[in-house]
Amino acid sequence: MVFMPNLQPHPALRPYVRHYLLLHASMAGIPPEQRIKPMPPDADQSLYFYPRSEVKVITNRTSETRTSARSIFVARQTSRINIGFGNDHLIIQVCFRPGFLYQFLGKAPFHTWRDEELSAEDLTDRTMQELNERLGEETDYGRMIALIETWLLNRCARLSIDVQPIDRVIAALRQSEMPRSLDWLADQACLSSRQLERKFQERMGMSPKFYARIARFDRAFKLKTQQPQLDWLDVAYQCGYFDFSHLMRDFRQFAEVTPSLLLAQEMASPDWWRTG
């Protein structure tokens, strides 16, 4: 098993890419029902590659199952899915800076997208298909990352990237543990409240208030997985919740279970003892 959780990008990509993650684990001999990992919404927008076995995407509420494409963009996720690992599970994540994916994909308005992953081959050009094929043939992890970085650098070189104040507002919401009013956000973005709402919807596919909730929920769950000795009330207060009942509300909406049950499901997932 190989787990590389925080690989830093090429210096030229650091304004746009936060980090890479690589996980490679053999699931041979593990029953399919024990290869399930919960994936509630998080605050990141990402490009994922699955160069080996097929990955199953399972809608948590309905158990509807579909096969993921070899590479996918996740621009907006507002409800929980579960991931079914294949026999030879290899995942590489490109985690973008908040809001950058909007520009990376040609300023496609994300509020018009379906609330699910989309094939990267369908949204880019034939070079993505070639990249997927080369990743499938490669065995060296360092060269895999280098192939992806070369593709990203070439694509970014063709973009006209225009960083605006609203992009800094999105980044601030991603990191802030304190509630921010719409008026404050609009002032920081040099926009009216209505303009902020519209531009935020274009870039993130949701309102600022809803994104702030997802970001807070994401921080809370990750804090608990990283520091399981904390009780949930401590987690709530450290992540800016008014009280435990507000944290419980977000977990029921975004994870569709209680905080303790989501943690138990995460700990039962096949990669927990490697990554937790």
Side-chain angles (χ1 to χ4, degrees), residues 250-264:
D250 279 358
F251 270 76
R252 288 193 179 278
Q253 177 169 354
F254 299 131
E256 301 171 14
V257 292
T258 64
S260 296
L261 184 52
L262 179 62
L263 182 63

Side-chain angles (χ1 to χ4, degrees), residues 170-219:
I170 295 170
L173 271 184
R174 172 70 177 83
Q175 300 299 328
S176 177
E177 295 180 359
M178 300 299 297
R180 301 292 187 181
S181 71
L182 186 61
D183 288 342
W184 183 91
L185 294 171
D187 181 69
Q188 296 300 304
C190 305
L191 299 168
S192 68
S193 296
R194 180 175 295 182
Q195 288 172 324
L196 173 69
E197 287 272 4
R198 177 176 59 80
K199 289 182 177 293
F200 206 100
Q201 287 276 0
E202 287 178 345
R203 284 162 169 76
M204 304 303 292
M206 62 191 76
S207 70
K209 182 178 179 180
F210 197 77
Y211 178 71
R213 285 184 60 201
I214 288 179
R216 184 174 58 178
F217 160 81
D218 186 29
R219 283 194 299 274

Side-chain angles (χ1 to χ4, degrees), residues 3-99:
F3 180 53
M4 304 176 184
N6 194 30
L7 299 171
Q8 293 302 295
H10 185 283
L13 290 172
R14 288 176 190 169
Y16 319 122
V17 176
R18 291 179 60 210
H19 64 264
Y20 308 116
L21 176 149
L22 185 148
L23 171 67
H24 191 190
S26 173
M27 296 288 110
I30 300 177
E33 64 272 15
Q34 296 179 18
R35 300 178 185 179
I36 305 300
K37 181 178 180 65
M39 297 289 289
D42 67 27
D44 293 320
Q45 296 177 325
S46 298
L47 168 60
Y48 291 93
F49 294 91
Y50 301 120
R52 295 285 189 271
S53 300
E54 286 186 344
V55 167
K56 299 296 184 182
V57 181
I58 307 158
T59 303
N60 190 63
R61 287 179 180 156
T62 65
S63 297
E64 177 186 358
T65 301
R66 58 186 179 271
T67 299
S68 174
R70 293 185 295 179
S71 55
I72 58 171
F73 287 106
V74 178
R76 60 187 296 265
Q77 181 189 347
T78 60
S79 59
R80 172 179 165 176
I81 59 173
N82 300 309
I83 298 295
F85 292 6
N87 286 336
D88 186 16
H89 184 69
L90 172 59
I91 178 174
I92 304 171
Q93 177 192 16
V94 179
C95 181
F96 293 107
R97 297 283 179 188

